[in-house]
Every structure is written in structure tokens, then in C-alpha cells.
């Protein structure tokens, strides 16, 4: 991919790039919407992601191009407006540039920029965090800064929260930044504290991307965020991580029926993440799988961020041999289901056929490996 990127960069801009950086996409392993509630989460960096190449320009012009879009987009350095429509992908690197000064780094003035990706878009695999982290590493290098990884992660999250405008937690950027092959990344989102957890050898990941996306997905994500904050307030805590299942049951009368369901999902999910970590340490993949599927059911019935397509995939997958568990991965309201299977699983095409028979379209299937985190190349 790096050589393709350099070739394309030369063809576009007539010179070689000075800096190339890469950041992976991620699977949300377990911990659905726990991150911005201060809870823990487990994720895995994938062996696919986004590559960014840049070269400085003395004339102060900023040109952005990507392999998925047409001609370069020029954005003047003094123009800090958010883009809409076909060029809105530029908001990710623009958000990173806007975030840099707050972290003590001077944003580079002029450059040519090219991004390439081998992540399926809209699958809930965080192509946005990947482009943010690869851009951050490249821009920081151009500015002569090599801050700790945690700062790169925070710059990416800042871009997403403040420029792109999604009130996400630190899961996506944290996993893309701290990923390690054959490991999961465990994040205590309150610190945040990042750790790697070895993944038992027989755990295989399959992604079934439905290519469906609720039209209001960003609005619905923000609505869940608001509902969780309101539930925390009603329960008298700052964040739901400070509550627990017993307290939520006890104080149910203080919550609307909807707020109760959201809060219950979060406190139970936090417990499932912790249990998953212990089960992983024992190599008990059967138990981890049960927790994954329980997480999905909680999304389906309590957090209500699943869809008929995702539920169908989980139903089909969990009835199959060699499948430990399955769940929606990421924000929800469409996107993809992740299944953890043993190496003996060979039924992906049967899942595709069942889905096609029900919905008339085939999901995209990825048998993915874990990969390493963001890096300069
Ligand atoms: C999206 C967000 C993450 C996280 C997940 C849900 O991927 O970007 O921060 O909240 O949804 O767990």
C-alpha cells in the first residue's frame, strides 16, 4: 500500500512525499457506548487502515486528496470552516490541524496531502479515527514534534469532538493508537489508561458489513450521549461508571423508562467488559463469546441502537457451530456485526446466503486479523 500511495502522490503532485504515516481501523470488541460514560472498553486494531502522505509547500497552500474522491480540494490556511457534502472527509485532517495548537504543536502552514484506505467505509470500523491518527502523526512530524502516543490519540479525539462534531469517547482513537497484533486494547476511559491484553490464539474475527446506515446515525449517537448524561444526573453521579446495576434498579423511579434502559445497558455492559477481560486471561473463549452475544442483546433491547439487519446476523451466527459469540460493533444504527469464532468456522457463505434470502442484498464479509497501532512509515 505504501508504494501505491507514493506512486499516486507523485502522479498527483509531481514529487515524492516527505512523510508517510499509517493508522489502523478497529473493532469494538466489547464495551458498547461505555467509553463516554467513563467505563472500560476492549477493542482490537485491524490489519487494515488509512495511509497518509504529505509534503510541505512553501506557498502556504493546503491541498487534500484521497484515493476515494476526485481532484484535490484546496483549503486556505485561514479558512477554518467545516466542509459539507462530497468534501466532508477533509474535516478529519482539518480537525487535527485545528486541534494541534491546543496540544502545544504548531500546525504546518502549506502542504500537499494524500490519503488512501483499505477499510470498508460505513462498516463501523472507524475509518475516521484512522485518518485522524495518520494525519496527526504526519502533521506532528512535519511540525518537528514526536509527542507520546496518548497525545496523538487525544488530538484525534479532539478533532472528532470539536471539529467534526461527534461527541464520541476515546475508544476508536485509543485502539487505533495503542493497537498491537494478537492483542486487544483495554482502555479505562476515565484515566484514560491504555493496556494491551493478549488474545487467545484460537480467536478469529469475522466482520459482516450490512452497508446499511440509519439516515440519522450521527443525531442518534448524540441523542444516546445526551440520554446517558441525563440518566447519570438523575442518579446523582457525574458519569454512569460511578453507578452500578443495584443502584440503577433501586433508583429506577427517578428515571424515565427510556433513561432506565439506557443506564441499565451501560452499567451491565461495564460489568461485561470487566468479566470479558478476566475470561480472556483464563483463555475461556466460550465465556467471552457469551458476553459478546449478551452485549448485543442489551444493545438490541435496552440501548436500542441495533437494527433488524444486525439482529438477523447475530441470530444466524450464534446458532452456528464454532461461533463463540457475535455482536454489533461500533456506534450501531447500522454498520457491521463482528463474530468471534474458532479457526474451524467455515460457514461465512451460509450467513451471506441467509442474509440475502431475507434482505435481498449480500453483506460484505471480512475475515480480519488484529494489527499494530498507528505509526510513521
Ligand atoms: C463510536 C464512537 C466510540 C464509541 C462507540 C460505541 O464508534 O466513536 O467512541 O462510543 O461508537 O461504543
Amino acid at each position: 500500500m505504501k508504494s501505491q500511495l507514493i506512486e499516486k502522490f507523485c502522479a498527483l503532485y509531481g514529487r515524492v512525499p516527505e512523510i508517510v504515516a499509517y493508522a489502523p481501523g478497529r473493532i469494538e470488541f466489547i464495551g458498547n457506548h461505555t467509553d463516554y460514560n467513563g467505563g472500560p472498553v476492549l477493542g482490537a486494531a485491524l490489519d487494515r487502515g488509512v495511509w497518509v502522505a504529505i509534503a510541505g509547500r512553501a506557498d502556504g497552500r493546503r491541498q487534500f486528496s484521497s484515493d476515494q474522491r476526485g481532484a484535490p480540494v484546496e483549503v486556505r490556511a485561514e479558512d477554518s470552516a467545516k466542509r459539507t457534502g462530497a468534501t466532508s472527509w477533509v474535516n478529519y485532517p482539518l480537525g487535527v490541524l485545528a486541534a494541534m495548537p491546543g496540544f502545544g504543536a504548531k500546525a504546518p502552514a502549506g502542504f500537499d496531502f494524500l490519503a488512501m484506505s483499505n477499510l470498508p467505509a460505513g462498516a463501523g470500523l472507524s475509518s475516521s479515527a484512522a485518518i485522524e491518527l495518520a494525519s496527526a502523526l504526519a502533521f506532528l512530524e512535519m511540525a518537528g514534534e514526536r509527542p507520546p502516543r496518548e497525545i496523538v490519540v487525544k488530538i484525534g479525539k479532539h478533532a472528532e469532538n470539536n471539529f467534526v462534531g461527534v461527541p464520541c469517547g476515546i475508544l476508536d482513537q485509543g485502539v487505533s493508537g495503542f493497537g498491537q497484533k494478537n492483542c486487544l486494547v483495554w482502555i479505562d476511559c476515565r484515566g484514560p489508561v491504555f493496556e494491551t491484553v493478549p488474545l487467545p490464539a484460537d480467536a478469529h474475527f469475522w466482520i459482516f458489513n450490512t452497508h446499511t446506515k440509519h439516515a440519522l446515525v450521527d443525531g442518534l449517537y448524540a441523542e444516546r450521549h445526551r440520554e446517558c448524561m441525563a440518566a447519570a444526573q438523575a442518579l446523582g453521579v457525574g458519569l454512569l461508571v460511578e453507578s452500578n446495576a443495584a443502584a440503577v434498579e433501586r433508583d429506577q423511579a427517578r428515571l424515565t423508562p427510556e433513561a432506565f434502559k439506557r443506564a441499565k445497558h451501560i452499567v451491565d455492559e461495564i460489568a461485561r467488559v470487566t468479566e470479558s477481560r478476566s475470561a480472556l486471561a483464563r483463555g475461556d473463549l466460550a465465556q467471552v463469546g457469551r458476553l459478546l452475544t449478551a452485549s448485543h442483546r442489551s444493545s438490541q433491547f435496552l440501548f436500542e441502537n441495533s437494527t433488524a439487519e444486525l439482529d438477523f446476523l447475530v441470530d444466524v451466527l450464534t446458532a452456528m457451530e464454532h461461533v463463540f459469540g457475535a455482536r454489533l460493533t461500533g456506534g450501531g444504527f447500522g454498520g457491521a456485526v463482528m463474530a468471534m469464532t474458532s479457526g474451524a468456522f467455515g460457514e461465512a457463505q451460509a450467513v451471506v446466503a441467509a442474509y440475502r434470502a431475507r434482505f435481498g442484498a449480500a453483506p460484505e464479509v471480512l475475515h480480519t486479523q488484529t494489527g499494530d497501532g498507528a505509526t510513521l512509515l
Side-chain angles (χ1 to χ4, degrees):
M1 200 71 168
K2 187 181 173 190
S3 56
Q4 270 169 272
L5 177 72
I6 293 175
E7 224 171 86
K8 179 131 199 238
F9 192 97
C10 291
L12 253 178
Y13 298 118
R15 63 209 177 107
V16 291
E18 289 158 8
I19 298 164
V20 177
Y22 161 80
R26 62 99 190 90
I27 308 175
E28 174 190 287
F29 185 74
I30 191 165
N32 193 244
H33 290 251
T34 52
D35 59 356
Y36 58 80
N37 287 296
V41 64
L42 279 164
L46 298 175
D47 60 350
R48 13 173 107 224
V50 175
W51 285 255
V52 161
I54 55 172
R57 290 181 68 112
D59 62 6
R61 292 169 64 191
R62 291 171 166 181
Q63 305 218 78
F64 296 92
S65 187
S66 100
D67 63 335
Q68 325 220 325
R69 310 282 164 181
V73 184
E74 177 153 356
V75 181
R76 281 174 290 109
E78 62 281 8
D79 179 358
S80 56
K82 197 177 146 183
R83 315 275 120 182
T84 52
T87 62
S88 58
W89 70 271
V90 175
N91 290 329
Y92 300 111
L94 284 180
V96 166
L97 292 164
M100 285 173 69
F103 292 86
K106 193 167 176 296
F111 51 79
D112 292 329
F113 174 107
L114 174 64
M116 269 178 119
S117 166
N118 64 359
L119 275 174
L125 300 178
S126 275
S127 50
S128 53
I131 190 171
E132 285 158 359
L133 261 73
S135 303
L137 280 178
F139 292 143
L140 286 162
E141 183 72 6
M142 187 166 264
E145 306 273 353
R146 286 202 177 173
R149 195 170 284 243
E150 186 173 332
I151 299 297
V152 182
V153 165
K154 286 183 172 167
I155 290 176
K157 177 175 182 284
H158 191 281
E160 188 79 43
N161 292 161
N162 300 288
F163 197 89
V164 180
V166 179
C168 67
I170 204 161
L171 160 70
D172 307 343
Q173 292 81 10
V175 173
S176 183
F178 282 88
Q180 207 172 296
K181 192 162 177 52
N182 298 325
C183 287
L184 296 175
V185 180
W186 183 85
I187 309 174
D188 179 339
C189 300
R190 256 186 304 187
V193 176
F194 304 91
E195 286 172 23
T196 43
V197 173
L199 190 62
D202 198 32
H204 284 247
F205 292 126
W206 293 82
I207 308 287
F208 295 86
N209 178 10
T210 65
H211 288 289
T212 57
K213 188 178 171 185
H214 199 293
L216 300 173
V217 65
D218 288 347
L220 287 165
Y221 184 90
E223 184 181 300
R224 289 295 177 277
H225 186 279
R226 275 195 306 276
E227 289 171 345
C228 289
M229 297 308 138
Q233 204 179 11
L235 292 166
V237 294
L239 289 171
L240 285 174
V241 68
E242 295 152 37
S243 189
N244 56 54
V248 170
E249 298 283 348
R250 188 192 60 221
D251 295 334
Q252 184 170 356
R254 291 199 217 160
L255 301 167
T256 63
E258 211 144 73
F260 171 74
K261 286 194 276 182
R262 308 300 184 245
K264 181 154 173 53
H265 167 80
I266 298 298
V267 294
D268 289 352
E269 185 75 352
I270 287 171
R272 279 188 288 269
V273 179
T274 308
E275 272 182 63
S276 299
R277 189 173 178 177
S278 317
L280 281 165
R282 296 192 306 271
D284 186 352
L285 288 178
Q287 174 62 5
V288 176
R290 281 191 284 275
L291 292 162
L292 296 179
T293 306
S295 163
H296 183 82
R297 297 304 176 203
S298 180
S299 290
Q300 182 177 352
F301 298 115
L302 296 175
F303 212 65
E304 296 175 296
N305 61 333
S306 187
T307 62
E309 290 86 350
L310 300 173
D311 296 341
F312 180 83
L313 285 169
V314 170
D315 292 346
V316 170
L317 280 157
T318 51
M320 286 176 159
E321 240 191 305
H322 309 301
V323 174
F324 293 118
R327 61 182 294 274
L328 68 82
T329 184
F333 308 110
V337 159
M338 172 212 76
M340 184 177 73
T341 73
S342 76
F345 177 70
E347 295 299 307
Q349 284 320 311
V351 178
V352 171
Y355 186 94
R356 188 189 277 118
R358 169 77 171 75
F359 295 104
E364 179 184 9
V365 183
L366 295 176
H367 184 189
T368 58
Q369 311 280 323
T370 55
D372 288 325
T375 180
L376 286 166
L377 295 172

